[in-house]
Amino acid sequence: PVYAGLHGWRTFHARTMRAVSTQLRGGMSDEQEIYRDAYLRATVERGGLLIRTVRTTLAFPDVAALEASHDALLRVVRLHVGPRSRLLQDLRPAPGRNEPEFEAALTRVRSRLLPLFERRATLVQTSVGKLQLSRLQKEDKLERLVSQDEAELMRYLGFAD
């Protein structure tokens, strides 16, 4: 993961805060990568209010890899989430998995990740993906917009450009 090579939490936090501060003054790019592994990438954007997670095209070989990747992601996300944070999950590149053991593991992941955010949105590639995520939203009992349109999701999250 990205954070592993840095010299401890204080250095990581100071670099992140400088990046956000610079961005708010109109400096560098708004996107600050906070996590990356073979399966997931996460960035902080919009002055720290938006956390974007992007699933890569690499399939999880087993449930243990899925859980380890998401556990590491969650540890980093918790360092950046605040009371007004919003989550945009981009699942478009992800290979589909609907085996019961993977669905159960993803339910556990969602139950730990999604409640951290004031608003949640999920970007999908297909209508089938939208239907599946809409079904899962009902099971999660948490409001979330699922769409194939990133601009629509950004408006929902409160970031109209």
Side-chain angles (χ1 to χ4, degrees), residues 47-111:
L49 290 176
L50 176 66
I51 294 180
R52 179 188 302 254
T53 62
V54 180
R55 183 65 178 81
T56 70
T57 58
L58 185 62
F60 289 108
D62 52 39
V63 171
L66 180 149
E67 290 175 333
S69 179
H70 282 92
D71 287 348
L73 171 72
L74 192 56
R75 282 192 297 276
V76 174
V77 164
R78 283 190 175 130
L79 299 174
H80 294 276
V81 74
R84 295 182 55 227
S85 293
R86 285 91 193 273
L87 174 67
L88 176 60
Q89 294 178 295
D90 185 348
L91 302 181
R92 291 175 298 178
R97 295 297 292 258
N98 61 1
E99 298 94 330
E101 61 274 13
F102 279 90
E103 290 221 357
L106 285 170
T107 297
R108 291 189 298 274
V109 166
R110 289 192 314 273
S111 72

Side-chain angles (χ1 to χ4, degrees), residues 2-80:
V2 168
Y3 65 92
L6 300 176
H7 304 291
W9 159 246
R10 288 181 189 201
T11 302
F12 177 65
H13 182 69
R15 287 180 184 171
T16 301
M17 295 317 294
R18 271 195 308 276
V20 169
S21 175
T22 301
Q23 184 275 323
L24 289 174
R25 291 191 314 266
M28 66 185 274
S29 167
D30 184 33
E31 184 178 298
Q32 176 76 31
E33 186 173 87
I34 59 171
Y35 182 80
R36 177 187 293 266
D37 69 14
Y39 309 104
L40 295 165
R41 177 178 180 258
T43 58
V44 175
E45 304 172 20
R46 307 291 175 137
L49 290 176
L50 176 66
I51 294 180
R52 179 188 302 254
T53 62
V54 180
R55 183 65 178 81
T56 70
T57 58
L58 185 62
F60 289 108
D62 52 39
V63 171
L66 180 149
E67 290 175 333
S69 179
H70 282 92
D71 287 348
L73 171 72
L74 192 56
R75 282 192 297 276
V76 174
V77 164
R78 283 190 175 130
L79 299 174
H80 294 276

Side-chain angles (χ1 to χ4, degrees), residues 36 74 101 113 127 139 155:
R36 177 187 293 266
L74 192 56
E101 61 274 13
L113 178 66
S127 297
E139 292 175 14
R155 286 190 300 275

